[in-house]
Amino acid sequence: MVTDGPEHAAERALEIAAATHPDVDLSDLDAAVGDPAVGRELVPIVRAVPDPADEVRRSDVDRWGRSEHFRELTRRAFDPIYKYWFRVEWEGFEHLPEEGGALLVANHAGAIPPDAPSIMHGIEKDLGRPVYGLAENLFRTMPVVGTLWSRSGGVAAHPDNAYRLLHDEERLVLVFPEGTKGTGKHYRDRYRLRRFGRGGFVDIAMRAGVPVIPIAVMGAEETMPILFKSPRLAKMLNVPYFPVTANMLAFGPAGLVAYLPAKFRIRVLPPVSFDVPPNQERYSRSRVMEESERIRRMVQDALYDMLRTRRSVWFG
Amino acid sequence: MRVLVTGLSTYWGGRVAQALEKRSDVDVVVGVDTRDPRTQLERTEFVRTDSSHSILARIVRATQVDTIVHTHLVVDSTRATSRTLHEINVIGTMNLLAAASAAGSPVRKVVLKSSGLVYGANKADPYFFREDMQRTGPARTPVERSLLEAEAFVRDFADDNPHVNVSLLRFANVLGVDIDTPFTAALRQPVAPEILGFDPRLQFVHEDDVVDALMYAINNESPGVYNVGADGNLPWSEVCAILGKRRVALPFVLTNLAAEPARIFGLWDLPPEAMALLRFGRTIDNSRFKRAGFRYGYTTPTAVEAFAQALRLAGTIGDSRPSYRYEREVEDFFRHSPAVVRDPA
């Protein structure tokens, strides 16, 4: 272009520099660019030094498979459900740390559990930190679903994955120690927490030197209650459980994706820190199980407490 | 330093021998292989032999080599039958290590080129394999089994010979215009394969980094097992995007069967272990070798970009490799004839 003089080049360079280096004060240079006399001599000195590896990237998928761009899209799609369907309300949100790694431990419920997306949505929206959700590696075997799960922050629940996220990258990591035992339980067992695995989450938190933040979720149990289960079909389809939910009875096949509009309340409990040195080879088994049981108790008690004051499943 | 290079006629053997020839502290380079070398070498002595124990033991004794570089481990199962894989990887490694551990052996260093294939690719895998981690599923393919067996010999050898510095390098998938692997071959085609609904993250390493890594292990005291893969990983879709290739989806059930027509028509030849990578991906943790002092020239994204640029160049000018044919009489003349003036001052 003929009009593309040095001023324009300088302005463009400044724009790029401002976008890539938000922490650098560019106002002096900006003034210099504004002044035509200076602009002619002045070659912009603030040059972005981009990582050559990033320059050739075509997407923003990180090394865990999460894409912030994709999360942005899913957040936009999920926001109305979060706001108007589940009407999620948080208590104790201030317990979530602004920086540093932390292991978020929550109860798990609903045949296709809506608690994970709700917790991740709320934290990413209001705290502005990405949340990585640990889940069964069953997801990794599922075409399409597994890829979408991974792009939205899902990570296979391997102890080493959790350790790297918490210790090396200081991320927020969400885990449901009940696993499929929590989501696959009958409606009649609602809000009665299952076994917290083998306490592996405590072991990882100790090793990574991060606190555990217990989270109690009320409402997910009623969004997709399991009435019956078919162990035979589950075995045939190679899934942990095959539920017949109230939603299926009410809406037919659409019940697979249609949640009942139960009111969500999420209570974040004070962080639990373990005063043990990180990066040990092994931690006392009894200590791990004790802490695991204590955290489970905390979540269970918080749930009982919340249920005591709940007047309606649908209106809270 | 006196060095024995196995697999001299493979791409890696040739590259390592070339790099060794340039070093003044390397007195002698001896190369063995069953085929003639395909790279031009200045002073490497080539012995054409199979990897039988008696001959290898004689070569080691006669040449008094102190360093062995074992590049002759086949990791591309499209180029060898399972019988050959076993012969070369398992029996060849066994014979070589036996020769190196003979009584009074001068060998003080062994460097081996293995592969990340030993970790496999399974749903229960950690996202980043460290050297001390085991694979999570059984090894089903011949190449994986043979590499695991070969590595077992290496472990035994290292245990039995504590005075020998053994470095075992496990490489990620190599990218480079000069090397043919199932992945580089598939990425040269107009369309690239994918498994429907899967977009795994893959890690690569640039061919120059592979040679540098082998040379680094030869030049330094770094005993142990090391992963060698470039920093970072990329979704397969992004790899294809950087290379400007459209993807064609294979079904997610009976994938290997569905890929068979593509193999028969010479489009892609992806063995089962490569298919597993297209489903689950694999990244190996390279931090141990970096802590040992090695520096990579490329990250995974820049390695892919470099490959894309090299492909574009090759697409325009064709194959830039000078063709070379090994002729024993000519080589012997230049190396040993009194008529040739060596070291012209």
Side-chain angles (χ1 to χ4, degrees):
Chain A
M1 262 164 47
V2 188
T3 54
D4 211 26
E7 310 95 323
H8 293 90
E11 272 168 33
R12 249 202 338 273
L14 269 177
E15 274 167 30
I16 295 167
T20 50
H21 288 238
D23 47 337
V24 179
D25 184 21
L26 301 167
S27 48
D28 288 357
L29 267 170
D30 206 25
V33 170
D35 182 355
V38 184
R40 300 224 173 263
E41 276 93 9
L42 189 82
V43 179
I45 47 165
V46 182
R47 224 171 320 156
V49 212
D51 186 347
D54 287 336
E55 246 177 21
V56 301
R57 291 291 312 261
R58 300 288 199 278
S59 78
D60 69 337
V61 177
D62 70 9
R63 62 201 202 114
W64 300 95
R66 183 184 185 277
S67 157
E68 177 56 30
H69 177 70
F70 182 78
R71 273 301 291 165
E72 179 68 48
L73 293 177
T74 48
R75 277 201 297 273
R76 212 172 291 165
F78 189 69
D79 203 50
I81 303 171
Y82 179 88
K83 263 197 202 133
Y84 304 114
W85 197 255
F86 295 138
R87 294 145 291 144
V88 182
E89 274 182 46
W90 288 79
E91 297 170 33
F93 198 82
E94 69 280 359
H95 292 313
L96 296 166
E98 307 243 333
E99 56 189 25
L103 186 58
L104 317 175
V105 172
N107 58 313
H108 211 17
I112 299 172
D115 39 20
S118 299
I119 294 172
M120 289 165 88
H121 184 91
I123 294 177
E124 293 194 347
K125 194 166 64 89
D126 295 330
L127 194 66
R129 293 188 64 182
V131 182
Y132 290 82
L134 299 183
E136 276 267 329
N137 47 37
L138 173 75
F139 276 105
R140 288 184 86 181
T141 64
M142 295 157 101
V144 185
V145 176
T147 304
L148 300 179
W149 164 78
S150 172
R151 293 291 169 273
S152 47
V155 171
H158 190 287
D160 190 63
N161 290 350
Y163 174 82
R164 280 174 196 272
L165 280 166
L166 290 167
H167 180 268
D168 301 357
E169 299 194 5
E170 304 193 344
R171 301 288 192 181
L172 295 178
V173 177
L174 173 64
V175 69
F176 301 95
E178 292 172 275
T180 50
K181 295 188 297 299
T183 54
K185 65 181 182 287
H186 285 113
Y187 185 59
R188 58 170 185 268
D189 295 324
R190 62 191 180 277
Y191 297 114
R192 286 210 288 253
L193 296 194
R194 307 283 102 176
R195 179 163 60 83
F196 261 26
R198 286 167 282 179
F201 71 96
V202 173
D203 198 81
I204 289 298
M206 286 178 166
R207 198 173 303 231
V210 299
V212 164
I213 303 180
I215 297 180
V217 185
M218 182 176 71
E221 296 273 14
E222 287 89 358
T223 56
M224 203 178 265
I226 297 181
L227 304 179
F228 316 102
K229 285 188 284 188
S230 165
R232 185 177 296 180
L233 272 173
K235 204 164 187 186
M236 254 172 59
L237 293 169
N238 205 10
V239 289
Y241 53 89
F242 187 89
V244 176
T245 62
N247 312 48
M248 290 181 188
L249 296 185
F251 313 118
L256 265 176
V257 286
Y259 287 108
L260 302 177
K263 164 84 178 172
F264 264 57
R265 242 174 236 292
I266 302 176
R267 182 182 289 179
V268 186
L269 304 176
V272 180
S273 296
F274 313 101
D275 89 74
V276 289
N279 298 318
Q280 297 293 301
E281 189 99 331
R282 214 174 270 280
Y283 291 94
S284 147
R285 203 64 232 160
S286 67
R287 176 82 200 280
V288 167
M289 291 316 289
E290 243 166 59
E291 295 287 357
S292 163
E293 191 45 44
R294 188 160 75 90
I295 289 161
R296 181 176 169 275
R297 200 68 246 163
M298 285 169 73
V299 176
Q300 182 72 77
D301 288 346
L303 281 173
Y304 287 155
D305 186 54
M306 289 155 88
L307 289 168
R308 252 180 238 123
T309 55
R310 178 167 78 164
R311 285 155 195 271
S312 152
V313 169
W314 316 115
F315 303 107
Chain B
M1 204 181 342
R2 304 170 72 86
V3 189
L4 173 69
V5 180
T6 66
L8 186 71
S9 314
T10 65
Y11 173 73
W12 302 118
R15 287 278 310 256
V16 169
Q18 282 175 331
L20 283 168
E21 283 181 341
K22 291 205 191 83
R23 295 180 52 96
S24 54
D25 58 337
V26 176
D27 307 316
V28 170
V29 186
V30 181
V32 294
D33 206 314
T34 49
R35 293 166 305 164
D36 287 338
R38 290 179 299 169
T39 42
Q40 180 145 19
L41 297 163
E42 297 298 326
R43 57 190 179 102
T44 299
E45 296 290 344
F46 170 60
V47 189
R48 183 174 172 146
T49 169
D50 64 358
S51 49
S52 72
H53 174 247
S54 57
I55 295 175
L56 284 173
R58 274 176 66 198
I59 292 173
V60 169
R61 208 174 326 115
T63 56
Q64 289 290 303
V65 289
D66 49 41
T67 302
I68 295 180
V69 188
H70 188 33
T71 68
H72 207 200
L73 281 168
V74 181
V75 298
D76 179 356
S77 64
T78 61
R79 292 152 166 269
T81 61
S82 53
R83 179 84 230 141
T84 325
L85 280 171
H86 181 80
E87 277 309 313
I88 295 176
N89 288 358
V90 182
I91 307 301
T93 305
M94 186 184 75
N95 287 339
L96 179 70
L97 294 178
S101 60
S105 159
V107 176
R108 291 293 170 271
K109 181 179 278 185
V110 178
V111 177
L112 302 100
K113 179 185 169 297
S114 182
S115 161
L117 282 176
V118 295
Y119 297 115
N122 287 290
K123 63 170 182 174
D125 286 352
Y127 282 17
F128 304 94
F129 272 105
R130 272 196 320 268
E131 288 83 351
D132 57 350
M133 287 172 163
Q134 300 294 317
R135 56 184 297 139
T136 59
R140 291 212 178 80
T141 61
V143 63
E144 289 175 322
R145 276 203 302 269
S146 70
L147 286 173
L148 284 168
E149 270 188 75
E151 285 204 359
F153 285 128
V154 178
R155 265 194 303 280
D156 289 349
F157 174 80
D159 287 348
D160 297 345
N161 300 278
H163 61 286
V164 180
N165 207 324
V166 182
S167 305
L168 177 68
L169 309 186
R170 291 177 181 151
F171 289 92
N173 282 305
V174 186
L175 278 189
V177 77
D178 295 331
I179 171 91
D180 278 329
T181 71
F183 275 100
T184 58
L187 288 170
R188 282 168 192 273
Q189 300 293 345
V191 288
E194 68 167 354
I195 300 177
L196 185 65
F198 287 90
D199 193 9
R201 289 174 308 291
L202 296 178
Q203 180 190 30
F204 294 98
V205 60
H206 192 272
E207 53 186 5
D208 293 347
D209 277 342
V210 175
V211 178
D212 287 353
L214 288 167
M215 289 307 292
Y216 188 86
I218 293 167
N219 296 330
N220 293 279
E221 305 296 306
S222 48
V225 183
Y226 297 95
N227 289 335
V228 186
D231 282 339
N233 55 26
L234 283 180
W236 178 241
S237 58
E238 198 176 338
V239 173
C240 296
I242 293 175
L243 290 161
K245 302 288 174 183
R246 255 172 210 291
R247 281 164 291 140
V248 174
L250 296 163
F252 52 80
V253 288
L254 302 175
T255 312
N256 286 316
L257 191 68
E260 198 62 4
R263 193 182 72 77
I264 291 166
F265 290 111
L267 182 58
W268 316 306
D269 189 358
L270 291 168
E273 63 271 10
M275 279 299 179
L277 275 183
L278 284 187
R279 192 178 294 262
F280 297 119
R282 176 176 59 233
T283 308
I284 55 181
D285 180 342
N286 63 11
S287 57
R288 184 156 188 241
F289 204 36
K290 282 205 279 193
R291 278 200 303 278
F294 182 69
R295 293 287 167 269
Y296 289 87
Y298 296 82
T299 64
T300 291
T302 54
V304 175
E305 174 67 16
F307 182 55
Q309 293 181 1
L311 279 188
R312 270 182 235 130
L313 178 66
T316 310
I317 63 161
D319 194 350
S320 63
R321 278 174 283 188
S323 63
Y324 167 76
R325 210 159 63 84
Y326 179 84
E327 282 174 67
R328 177 163 292 277
E329 288 76 14
V330 178
E331 297 293 339
D332 278 350
F333 170 73
F334 280 115
R335 279 179 175 74
H336 305 298
S337 167
V340 175
V341 183
R342 294 180 198 86
D343 294 326

